[in-house]
Amino acid sequence: MRALRRGHKLRAVGAGRRAPIAVLSTLLTAACSGPASMLEPRGTVAARVEGLWWLIFWIATVAFVVVLGFLFVAVIRARRPDEPDRSSSPSGERFVIASGVVVPAVVLIAVFVVSVRDTSDLARAGRSSRLVVDVVAHDWWWEVRYPNGGVTANEIHVPVGEPVRIRLQTADVIHSFWVPRLAGKVDNVPGRVNWTWLQADRPGRYRGQCAEFCGLQHAKMEFVVVAQPASEFAAWLNDIASPAQAPTGVAAVGEQIFLGTTCVGCHAIEGTEADATVGPDLTHLADRETLMAGAVANTRANLARVITHPQAVKPGAVMPPTDLSPDQLEALLDYLQGLR
Amino acid sequence: MATLAQRLEAMWAERPGLGSWITTVDHKKIGVKYIYTSFVFFVLGGLESLLIRAQLARPNLELLDPDAFNQMFSMHGITMMFLFAMPMLSGFGNYFVPLMIGTRDMAFPRLNAFGYWAFLAGGVFLYSSFLSGNAPNDGWFNYVPLANKEFTPGPNIDFYCLGLIFLGISSTGGAINFIVTILKMRAPGMTLNRIPIFVWGELAMSLQIVFALPALTAAALMLELDRKFGFNFFDAAEGGDPVLWQHLFWFFGHPEVYIVVLPAFGIASAMIPTLARRSMIGYTYIVLAEVATALIGFGVWVHHMFAVGIPALSLSFFSAGSMMVVLPTAVQVFAWLITLVSGRPVLKTPMLFVLGFIFTFVIGGLTGPMLGLVPFDQQVHDSYFVVAHLHYVLVGGAVFPIFGAFYYWLPKVTGKMLDERLGKWSFWLIFAGFNLTFFPQHILGLLGMPRRVYTYEAGLGWDGYNLASSVGAGLLTVGIAITALNILRSRRRGAPAGPDPWGGETLEWASTSPPPDYNFETIPRVHSREPLWDQPELRRGAQPVEAGAYALDDGHQVLSTSVVDATPQAVLHMPHATAWPFLLAIALTALTYGILLESPLLSALGTVGTVVGIAGWFWPQGETQET
Amino acid sequence: MSAGVRDAAEGLPHHAGGTRAFGWWGMVGLIGTEAMLFGSLVASYFYLRFTSGPEWPPGDIAKPELGLVAIMTVVLWSSSVPVHIADLGIKKGRQGLLRWGLAIGFLLGATFLVMQIMIEYPQTLEEFSPTTNAYGSLFYGLTGLHGSHVVVGLAFSLWTQVRAWRGAFDERRHVTVQNFAMYWHFVDAVWAVVLVTIYLSPHL
Ligand code: HEA
Ligand code: HEA
Ligand code: CUA
Ligand SMILES: [Cu+2]
């Protein structure tokens, strides 16, 4: 659908005075559009890299067309076998050096310089950030901590138009932090602290995903970066650092069930005695859009499945199934769904 | 008195029968075994990739469970690199290097036989992991700590480590054998600047194996010590570092990709002058380029690690290296192109594969320097863009030339031509299927699809491209199957090839198809780079002794010639067929299983067997060059 | 010569030593690849050293003792001399030099190995083992790799000696001796690298 809409735009552009190259780029971008497309950047870093991509893309296209031209000539010169031509060809050899060494060297040096400049500009731009977010990767979810003590999982809120630095660590194996529309990836490596930064230029939800193979559920280790206007973000940040609303009625029963079963051994809920860090912090669970690092939407039915059959939701996940009576389960669900 | 041919036959022929299949030390029989065995592994690796493509054809499929999927892509990568590409190219080298340089065998025939058996045993060892459902499952580069005991407690990774060490012995032995053969056994007159480019390719490959493979062996050894004996090389909590694994792996892993591609380039360089009916333009530059690629290839490994968090300065260094390594490849590409357009190419199937090779390889090559740019790589690293790159260069750069070689060289091996019509069908299906499979993967990468995911959700714009890719893989399979059938069919129904079906210029065409056990009735003296185009008498039978040829007919002998200008220095005696290499490989297999299963009995048996095997191998048997 | 064709090969020797022998080149290849194996471990050593903290060796491990190692070094390196004499000797057909040179070289090499296994390892194992930390793994990994090469060298030596005493070698036929000598010198040379890496560098 989206590609189609772009197609209309394309015709409009073509009618204008833009160079055909722009037309082609637009067409290509259309073929390359999607919620995680790095060719539809919404962040400073990704936008810069997109520029670099189009530069090298066109260089490669030209080089390829040249090669194609030669192949074409070779084919049309084809004929039946005859006596071999044994002459030497000094001009041919000069051509080999010119096109194999001189021209590519010039082009590659230029591209290399552009890319080094991009890297250093981006590094400098990142330094001006005021906010640092800690992201700790786990098998197979993301722990997110803010300087004010706010903790959440698989959801990183950032203010729009401001650089945010991210400190990357891991609790187990190597993972990699990647939000294609905002910035390139950096690994979470055991024994190291890595840094990256990103800046979203427009409000929105940007899909992120673990990019380093990390075992069974590498495929379902997603997260989302939520870019909000500064004031909204400030409110959210304030909220995240405070305990969840106290449960009432059935939900209060649910809280007791939570604290009385295995859950408390792995999860933390601010304001209760649950403070384990094996699994995601659930203090504001109800505010999240998905469960289990993007595996399913955060609905009551899915939540129930996460508790009773986590291995069906996400085979291999580090959470064991829990047997609860229907009443207990309903109470627990009431409680968890009230965690805002 | 017996004729020269009869006398040579008596000295070089091995006793026929099944036993000889095990004891043979003839480079041609070993070469054929390598080629067919690695083709079987190619089919296995291909079937694994078909399962991958089936699983990914649509979002949220559950054909494979996550663990099965992980084993599939890991074994696919391992198989294609270590059990298909490397041994296949060694196989062609084994068969054709001695023929192209005009000698009667490889320098160390028993080592050669052992290399094959160790390859086969290593492959069987790796595949036996499927019996217990525990195939390696952490990818072909097997990053720690995921591959540590803690996170992969099963034997999966022990199979990986031990299997690769085992295969490493085979490839290292093979590489040293190629080096000595190429340096010391060339026909008189074949000076360095007359060596066929394919032979240079095998030499460059061998040098890279000798110097790069030990890093992988060391890494696998260290990891196995970590896993089995609690060493801490890679354990960050105890002062080790998982990134060390990455350095060691890629110090090998990058040269590995040129290990695969340089001899494959060599195949293309062997076919181009013959089929374009023109001397290669820029021979010297091509040779220098191969050597330069091999050297610079050692200085770029960190470009696989741009996202690890290494300081920016060293990243720029390795980025610059990755730009530099483009130049020697570009030299070769343009030398081929200019030779093709200034010749009159013959559009038979092997030539189609050459053209298809240049087309696809250049696309893959061009994404190489893109990946070498740090900011761009940090976006597409570990995405399907890289999967597209690696298949364009590997399938384009190695599989296309190898398939070309089936059409070009198997007639020499079997004496029968392959069918042209089937060949053209096969080529076009492979070409179309390949591009349909892998071109969309570039776009998938740009659309943010990470590699090594067992499934994906709908609505990300990935569905259509994945489906196209899976359909392409089907076309590709049909194309490959047609060539496989074509080869089988040619054994009975192929037209006779004659000694020189293509009008080639290198020495392999001076021999009959298939060549006799002793390769050449006389070891010819060559006077140029293109002996068959220069010395028409070579086509008409053995060069007479008066013209400077060597008969070497009073023993199982070869010539040792000088490294630079190939002047004869000595006559050396070659060993005869023997079962010891085979037995040694079996003993080593037992030892490897002994370590894997932690069985003292099996390990002890294997160790004793290994010692006995080596002793039996070297037990003096009269005169050999190894005395 | 038998009933064969008369060709230029008649003037060529049927045995070759030095760089004319395939074995010489094969041994160079083997040494090259082995050197890279050691190189990988040495590189790992320095990599881990410089990525770990300022303290090296880490933890309570003392810097390596140099006394015993000095003796071991002298013993090992001195073994190259008789081996070299044996190699030179047989090129002139001196069986005595060959036999006794190999035997003395063997004894010196074996002494080194015994010192490593019976004296050095028991001492260091009291302090740390390969499982203690990465330093321990590197220490035993690298010295053990070298030790295993000494074992292989000794086996190779035995093999060569048996054949030497049975008179298999003479001034024309001695490729095996030459190969053994090259391998043995390599094992000694690599010890220099191990010595500097494991024993000396922590003191710097
Ligand atoms: C046959 C194997 C082969 C070959 C030949 C190459 C060739 C090259 N490769 Fe590739 N590569 C792989 C196999 C290969 N690669 C594999 C298997 C991986 C993935 C491993 C894994 O992660 O599993 C990989 C991954 C890989 C990466 C890491 C990507 C990532 O994981 O993030 C990088 C980064 O720099 C890279 C770079 C290059 C470069 C610069 C070349 C160059 O040598 C290419 C040079 C050739 C050309 C450029 C084309 C011809 C030239 C011209 C037509 C002249 C004009 C050109 C210009 C002006 C640019 N490769
Ligand atoms: C030389 C190397 C090589 C070759 C040839 C191939 C060939 C193919 N590869 Fe592979 N691939 C790799 C090397 C190679 N690959 C590597 C190194 C990786 C990375 C692994 C990792 O991440 O660890 C990889 C990863 C990889 C992936 C990514 C997996 C992931 O990240 O999750 C995919 C997915 O599409 C894929 C697909 C294919 C396909 C469809 C082919 C096809 O070209 C295969 C075609 C062949 C067949 C289909 C054979 C079938 C033939 C028959 C059945 C005929 C039999 C008939 C008779 C005998 C009569 N490969
Ligand atoms: Cu975490 Cu992949
Ligand atoms: Cu590389």
Side-chain angles (χ1 to χ4, degrees), chain B residues 178-210:
Chain B
F178 276 124
I179 294 174
V180 181
T181 305
I182 295 168
L183 293 183
K184 290 300 293 175
M185 296 176 78
R186 302 193 311 275
M190 189 178 284
T191 54
L192 282 185
N193 62 352
R194 291 177 185 159
I195 300 180
I197 295 174
F198 172 70
V199 176
W200 275 113
E202 294 280 333
L203 182 63
M205 166 194 89
S206 304
L207 287 169
Q208 293 214 337
I209 290 179
V210 164

mmCIF file of all heavy atoms in Angstrom, chain B residues 178-210:
data_model
loop_
_atom_site.group_PDB
_atom_site.id
_atom_site.type_symbol
_atom_site.label_atom_id
_atom_site.label_comp_id
_atom_site.label_asym_id
_atom_site.label_seq_id
_atom_site.Cartn_x
_atom_site.Cartn_y
_atom_site.Cartn_z
ATOM 1 N N PHE B 178 50.366 -28.880 -1.848
ATOM 2 C CA PHE B 178 50.264 -28.039 -3.048
ATOM 3 C C PHE B 178 51.491 -27.147 -3.180
ATOM 4 O O PHE B 178 52.047 -26.985 -4.270
ATOM 5 C CB PHE B 178 49.017 -27.150 -2.983
ATOM 6 C CG PHE B 178 47.760 -27.843 -3.449
ATOM 7 C CD1 PHE B 178 46.655 -27.928 -2.618
ATOM 8 C CD2 PHE B 178 47.686 -28.391 -4.713
ATOM 9 C CE1 PHE B 178 45.490 -28.562 -3.041
ATOM 10 C CE2 PHE B 178 46.521 -29.026 -5.143
ATOM 11 C CZ PHE B 178 45.424 -29.112 -4.297
ATOM 12 N N ILE B 179 51.893 -26.544 -2.067
ATOM 13 C CA ILE B 179 53.010 -25.601 -2.148
ATOM 14 C C ILE B 179 54.251 -26.308 -2.688
ATOM 15 O O ILE B 179 54.899 -25.842 -3.630
ATOM 16 C CB ILE B 179 53.292 -24.983 -0.763
ATOM 17 C CG1 ILE B 179 52.108 -24.125 -0.332
ATOM 18 C CG2 ILE B 179 54.567 -24.157 -0.795
ATOM 19 C CD1 ILE B 179 52.215 -23.592 1.085
ATOM 20 N N VAL B 180 54.560 -27.470 -2.097
ATOM 21 C CA VAL B 180 55.780 -28.166 -2.519
ATOM 22 C C VAL B 180 55.646 -28.644 -3.958
ATOM 23 O O VAL B 180 56.575 -28.507 -4.769
ATOM 24 C CB VAL B 180 56.089 -29.329 -1.565
ATOM 25 C CG1 VAL B 180 57.360 -30.033 -1.990
ATOM 26 C CG2 VAL B 180 56.221 -28.824 -0.132
ATOM 27 N N THR B 181 54.480 -29.179 -4.284
ATOM 28 C CA THR B 181 54.273 -29.645 -5.649
ATOM 29 C C THR B 181 54.493 -28.517 -6.647
ATOM 30 O O THR B 181 55.197 -28.672 -7.650
ATOM 31 C CB THR B 181 52.837 -30.200 -5.804
ATOM 32 O OG1 THR B 181 52.622 -31.200 -4.809
ATOM 33 C CG2 THR B 181 52.625 -30.794 -7.173
ATOM 34 N N ILE B 182 53.881 -27.379 -6.358
ATOM 35 C CA ILE B 182 53.932 -26.289 -7.328
ATOM 36 C C ILE B 182 55.339 -25.690 -7.399
ATOM 37 O O ILE B 182 55.823 -25.329 -8.465
ATOM 38 C CB ILE B 182 52.880 -25.220 -6.975
ATOM 39 C CG1 ILE B 182 51.474 -25.812 -7.129
ATOM 40 C CG2 ILE B 182 53.038 -23.990 -7.849
ATOM 41 C CD1 ILE B 182 50.375 -24.960 -6.535
ATOM 42 N N LEU B 183 56.004 -25.620 -6.254
ATOM 43 C CA LEU B 183 57.332 -25.010 -6.290
ATOM 44 C C LEU B 183 58.379 -25.956 -6.870
ATOM 45 O O LEU B 183 59.327 -25.512 -7.499
ATOM 46 C CB LEU B 183 57.751 -24.567 -4.881
ATOM 47 C CG LEU B 183 56.937 -23.427 -4.273
ATOM 48 C CD1 LEU B 183 57.494 -23.046 -2.910
ATOM 49 C CD2 LEU B 183 56.928 -22.214 -5.194
ATOM 50 N N LYS B 184 58.219 -27.260 -6.636
ATOM 51 C CA LYS B 184 59.338 -28.162 -6.907
ATOM 52 C C LYS B 184 59.124 -29.162 -8.041
ATOM 53 O O LYS B 184 60.027 -29.923 -8.332
ATOM 54 C CB LYS B 184 59.662 -28.961 -5.629
ATOM 55 C CG LYS B 184 60.279 -28.153 -4.512
ATOM 56 C CD LYS B 184 61.592 -27.520 -4.931
ATOM 57 C CE LYS B 184 62.686 -28.571 -5.190
ATOM 58 N NZ LYS B 184 63.908 -27.928 -5.702
ATOM 59 N N MET B 185 57.946 -29.235 -8.600
ATOM 60 C CA MET B 185 57.710 -30.337 -9.534
ATOM 61 C C MET B 185 57.282 -29.878 -10.920
ATOM 62 O O MET B 185 56.751 -30.669 -11.699
ATOM 63 C CB MET B 185 56.659 -31.293 -8.952
ATOM 64 C CG MET B 185 57.129 -31.958 -7.685
ATOM 65 S SD MET B 185 55.856 -32.970 -6.946
ATOM 66 C CE MET B 185 55.917 -34.427 -7.966
ATOM 67 N N ARG B 186 57.523 -28.629 -11.243
ATOM 68 C CA ARG B 186 57.069 -28.161 -12.549
ATOM 69 C C ARG B 186 57.950 -28.726 -13.670
ATOM 70 O O ARG B 186 59.144 -28.940 -13.483
ATOM 71 C CB ARG B 186 57.088 -26.633 -12.565
ATOM 72 C CG ARG B 186 56.216 -26.042 -11.478
ATOM 73 C CD ARG B 186 55.962 -24.572 -11.666
ATOM 74 N NE ARG B 186 57.157 -23.804 -11.923
ATOM 75 C CZ ARG B 186 57.969 -23.326 -10.986
ATOM 76 N NH1 ARG B 186 57.719 -23.558 -9.701
ATOM 77 N NH2 ARG B 186 59.022 -22.629 -11.310
ATOM 78 N N ALA B 187 57.305 -28.935 -14.798
ATOM 79 C CA ALA B 187 58.029 -29.459 -15.948
ATOM 80 C C ALA B 187 59.200 -28.538 -16.263
ATOM 81 O O ALA B 187 59.118 -27.323 -16.063
ATOM 82 C CB ALA B 187 57.087 -29.539 -17.142
ATOM 83 N N PRO B 188 60.292 -29.112 -16.783
ATOM 84 C CA PRO B 188 61.437 -28.286 -17.114
ATOM 85 C C PRO B 188 61.016 -27.143 -18.033
ATOM 86 O O PRO B 188 60.246 -27.357 -18.971
ATOM 87 C CB PRO B 188 62.374 -29.243 -17.847
ATOM 88 C CG PRO B 188 61.836 -30.607 -17.658
ATOM 89 C CD PRO B 188 60.484 -30.525 -17.058
ATOM 90 N N GLY B 189 61.505 -25.955 -17.725
ATOM 91 C CA GLY B 189 61.175 -24.809 -18.563
ATOM 92 C C GLY B 189 59.983 -24.020 -18.072
ATOM 93 O O GLY B 189 59.744 -22.904 -18.521
ATOM 94 N N MET B 190 59.203 -24.582 -17.134
ATOM 95 C CA MET B 190 58.042 -23.826 -16.666
ATOM 96 C C MET B 190 58.487 -22.872 -15.552
ATOM 97 O O MET B 190 58.304 -23.124 -14.370
ATOM 98 C CB MET B 190 56.924 -24.744 -16.184
ATOM 99 C CG MET B 190 55.642 -23.972 -15.895
ATOM 100 S SD MET B 190 54.290 -25.022 -15.380
ATOM 101 C CE MET B 190 53.795 -25.740 -16.932
ATOM 102 N N THR B 191 59.088 -21.763 -15.981
ATOM 103 C CA THR B 191 59.569 -20.776 -15.020
ATOM 104 C C THR B 191 58.383 -20.160 -14.293
ATOM 105 O O THR B 191 57.231 -20.346 -14.689
ATOM 106 C CB THR B 191 60.333 -19.677 -15.757
ATOM 107 O OG1 THR B 191 59.464 -19.179 -16.781
ATOM 108 C CG2 THR B 191 61.591 -20.221 -16.401
ATOM 109 N N LEU B 192 58.672 -19.394 -13.239
ATOM 110 C CA LEU B 192 57.580 -18.814 -12.441
ATOM 111 C C LEU B 192 56.583 -18.079 -13.312
ATOM 112 O O LEU B 192 55.379 -18.175 -13.101
ATOM 113 C CB LEU B 192 58.149 -17.853 -11.394
ATOM 114 C CG LEU B 192 58.776 -18.463 -10.140
ATOM 115 C CD1 LEU B 192 59.156 -17.362 -9.172
ATOM 116 C CD2 LEU B 192 57.823 -19.437 -9.456
ATOM 117 N N ASN B 193 57.080 -17.317 -14.283
ATOM 118 C CA ASN B 193 56.134 -16.505 -15.062
ATOM 119 C C ASN B 193 55.470 -17.290 -16.174
ATOM 120 O O ASN B 193 54.853 -16.713 -17.056
ATOM 121 C CB ASN B 193 56.815 -15.246 -15.592
ATOM 122 C CG ASN B 193 57.950 -15.592 -16.527
ATOM 123 O OD1 ASN B 193 58.305 -16.768 -16.650
ATOM 124 N ND2 ASN B 193 58.501 -14.591 -17.191
ATOM 125 N N ARG B 194 55.616 -18.632 -16.127
ATOM 126 C CA ARG B 194 54.854 -19.447 -17.090
ATOM 127 C C ARG B 194 53.853 -20.343 -16.377
ATOM 128 O O ARG B 194 53.222 -21.186 -17.017
ATOM 129 C CB ARG B 194 55.804 -20.310 -17.909
ATOM 130 C CG ARG B 194 56.657 -19.492 -18.864
ATOM 131 C CD ARG B 194 57.618 -20.392 -19.597
ATOM 132 N NE ARG B 194 58.508 -19.597 -20.431
ATOM 133 C CZ ARG B 194 59.685 -20.027 -20.876
ATOM 134 N NH1 ARG B 194 60.095 -21.247 -20.559
ATOM 135 N NH2 ARG B 194 60.434 -19.252 -21.614
ATOM 136 N N ILE B 195 53.743 -20.191 -15.075
ATOM 137 C CA ILE B 195 52.818 -21.053 -14.349
ATOM 138 C C ILE B 195 51.386 -20.658 -14.696
ATOM 139 O O ILE B 195 51.039 -19.479 -14.676
ATOM 140 C CB ILE B 195 53.028 -20.901 -12.824
ATOM 141 C CG1 ILE B 195 54.456 -21.285 -12.460
ATOM 142 C CG2 ILE B 195 52.033 -21.749 -12.057
ATOM 143 C CD1 ILE B 195 54.734 -21.159 -10.970
ATOM 144 N N PRO B 196 50.542 -21.629 -15.011
ATOM 145 C CA PRO B 196 49.136 -21.283 -15.293
ATOM 146 C C PRO B 196 48.498 -20.568 -14.096
ATOM 147 O O PRO B 196 48.827 -20.862 -12.947
ATOM 148 C CB PRO B 196 48.476 -22.644 -15.528
ATOM 149 C CG PRO B 196 49.583 -23.566 -15.876
ATOM 150 C CD PRO B 196 50.800 -23.060 -15.192
ATOM 151 N N ILE B 197 47.589 -19.642 -14.376
ATOM 152 C CA ILE B 197 47.025 -18.829 -13.302
ATOM 153 C C ILE B 197 46.252 -19.684 -12.306
ATOM 154 O O ILE B 197 46.264 -19.425 -11.105
ATOM 155 C CB ILE B 197 46.131 -17.716 -13.889
ATOM 156 C CG1 ILE B 197 47.005 -16.769 -14.709
ATOM 157 C CG2 ILE B 197 45.433 -16.945 -12.786
ATOM 158 C CD1 ILE B 197 46.224 -15.717 -15.444
ATOM 159 N N PHE B 198 45.604 -20.733 -12.789
ATOM 160 C CA PHE B 198 44.894 -21.605 -11.852
ATOM 161 C C PHE B 198 45.865 -22.155 -10.804
ATOM 162 O O PHE B 198 45.556 -22.227 -9.615
ATOM 163 C CB PHE B 198 44.231 -22.769 -12.605
ATOM 164 C CG PHE B 198 43.643 -23.808 -11.696
ATOM 165 C CD1 PHE B 198 42.506 -23.529 -10.949
ATOM 166 C CD2 PHE B 198 44.229 -25.059 -11.556
ATOM 167 C CE1 PHE B 198 41.974 -24.480 -10.093
ATOM 168 C CE2 PHE B 198 43.699 -26.011 -10.695
ATOM 169 C CZ PHE B 198 42.568 -25.716 -9.963
ATOM 170 N N VAL B 199 47.054 -22.510 -11.263
ATOM 171 C CA VAL B 199 48.041 -23.056 -10.341
ATOM 172 C C VAL B 199 48.495 -21.973 -9.351
ATOM 173 O O VAL B 199 48.644 -22.231 -8.156
ATOM 174 C CB VAL B 199 49.227 -23.649 -11.133
ATOM 175 C CG1 VAL B 199 50.310 -24.145 -10.198
ATOM 176 C CG2 VAL B 199 48.737 -24.771 -12.029
ATOM 177 N N TRP B 200 48.654 -20.769 -9.837
ATOM 178 C CA TRP B 200 48.936 -19.657 -8.920
ATOM 179 C C TRP B 200 47.825 -19.521 -7.883
ATOM 180 O O TRP B 200 48.076 -19.249 -6.713
ATOM 181 C CB TRP B 200 49.049 -18.334 -9.684
ATOM 182 C CG TRP B 200 50.401 -18.045 -10.258
ATOM 183 C CD1 TRP B 200 50.721 -18.000 -11.587
ATOM 184 C CD2 TRP B 200 51.610 -17.753 -9.548
ATOM 185 N NE1 TRP B 200 52.057 -17.696 -11.731
ATOM 186 C CE2 TRP B 200 52.624 -17.540 -10.499
ATOM 187 C CE3 TRP B 200 51.930 -17.649 -8.190
ATOM 188 C CZ2 TRP B 200 53.938 -17.227 -10.149
ATOM 189 C CZ3 TRP B 200 53.234 -17.339 -7.845
ATOM 190 C CH2 TRP B 200 54.228 -17.135 -8.817
ATOM 191 N N GLY B 201 46.593 -19.668 -8.346
ATOM 192 C CA GLY B 201 45.462 -19.548 -7.423
ATOM 193 C C GLY B 201 45.546 -20.587 -6.326
ATOM 194 O O GLY B 201 45.338 -20.294 -5.147
ATOM 195 N N GLU B 202 45.872 -21.830 -6.711
ATOM 196 C CA GLU B 202 45.989 -22.884 -5.694
ATOM 197 C C GLU B 202 47.159 -22.586 -4.759
ATOM 198 O O GLU B 202 47.099 -22.871 -3.557
ATOM 199 C CB GLU B 202 46.179 -24.259 -6.353
ATOM 200 C CG GLU B 202 44.969 -24.736 -7.145
ATOM 201 C CD GLU B 202 43.865 -25.335 -6.251
ATOM 202 O OE1 GLU B 202 44.173 -25.840 -5.158
ATOM 203 O OE2 GLU B 202 42.690 -25.286 -6.664
ATOM 204 N N LEU B 203 48.214 -21.989 -5.310
ATOM 205 C CA LEU B 203 49.372 -21.666 -4.467
ATOM 206 C C LEU B 203 49.001 -20.575 -3.462
ATOM 207 O O LEU B 203 49.300 -20.679 -2.263
ATOM 208 C CB LEU B 203 50.542 -21.221 -5.352
ATOM 209 C CG LEU B 203 51.838 -20.893 -4.620
ATOM 210 C CD1 LEU B 203 52.383 -22.131 -3.913
ATOM 211 C CD2 LEU B 203 52.903 -20.364 -5.597
ATOM 212 N N ALA B 204 48.315 -19.535 -3.959
ATOM 213 C CA ALA B 204 47.925 -18.452 -3.052
ATOM 214 C C ALA B 204 46.988 -18.992 -1.978
ATOM 215 O O ALA B 204 47.110 -18.673 -0.786
ATOM 216 C CB ALA B 204 47.246 -17.328 -3.842
ATOM 217 N N MET B 205 46.045 -19.850 -2.384
ATOM 218 C CA MET B 205 45.136 -20.462 -1.430
ATOM 219 C C MET B 205 45.915 -21.230 -0.373
ATOM 220 O O MET B 205 45.672 -21.099 0.825
ATOM 221 C CB MET B 205 44.187 -21.421 -2.158
ATOM 222 C CG MET B 205 43.434 -22.335 -1.218
ATOM 223 S SD MET B 205 42.611 -23.722 -2.038
ATOM 224 C CE MET B 205 43.902 -24.951 -2.028
ATOM 225 N N SER B 206 46.899 -22.010 -0.825
ATOM 226 C CA SER B 206 47.630 -22.854 0.112
ATOM 227 C C SER B 206 48.416 -22.012 1.103
ATOM 228 O O SER B 206 48.467 -22.322 2.300
ATOM 229 C CB SER B 206 48.575 -23.772 -0.652
ATOM 230 O OG SER B 206 47.839 -24.512 -1.596
ATOM 231 N N LEU B 207 49.040 -20.946 0.606
ATOM 232 C CA LEU B 207 49.796 -20.101 1.529
ATOM 233 C C LEU B 207 48.859 -19.503 2.573
ATOM 234 O O LEU B 207 49.191 -19.419 3.756
ATOM 235 C CB LEU B 207 50.515 -18.989 0.749
ATOM 236 C CG LEU B 207 51.709 -19.499 -0.054
ATOM 237 C CD1 LEU B 207 52.225 -18.431 -1.001
ATOM 238 C CD2 LEU B 207 52.829 -19.948 0.888
ATOM 239 N N GLN B 208 47.673 -19.101 2.135
ATOM 240 C CA GLN B 208 46.727 -18.548 3.109
ATOM 241 C C GLN B 208 46.302 -19.596 4.117
ATOM 242 O O GLN B 208 46.151 -19.305 5.300
ATOM 243 C CB GLN B 208 45.498 -18.012 2.387
ATOM 244 C CG GLN B 208 45.826 -16.822 1.542
ATOM 245 C CD GLN B 208 44.677 -15.843 1.520
ATOM 246 O OE1 GLN B 208 43.539 -16.188 1.753
ATOM 247 N NE2 GLN B 208 44.936 -14.626 1.247
ATOM 248 N N ILE B 209 46.103 -20.817 3.662
ATOM 249 C CA ILE B 209 45.707 -21.860 4.609
ATOM 250 C C ILE B 209 46.812 -22.063 5.640
ATOM 251 O O ILE B 209 46.568 -22.103 6.846
ATOM 252 C CB ILE B 209 45.406 -23.180 3.868
ATOM 253 C CG1 ILE B 209 44.123 -23.044 3.059
ATOM 254 C CG2 ILE B 209 45.281 -24.329 4.852
ATOM 255 C CD1 ILE B 209 43.744 -24.278 2.272
ATOM 256 N N VAL B 210 48.050 -22.144 5.158
ATOM 257 C CA VAL B 210 49.157 -22.398 6.080
ATOM 258 C C VAL B 210 49.242 -21.308 7.145
ATOM 259 O O VAL B 210 49.488 -21.594 8.318
ATOM 260 C CB VAL B 210 50.480 -22.522 5.291
ATOM 261 C CG1 VAL B 210 51.680 -22.401 6.203
ATOM 262 C CG2 VAL B 210 50.515 -23.852 4.568
#
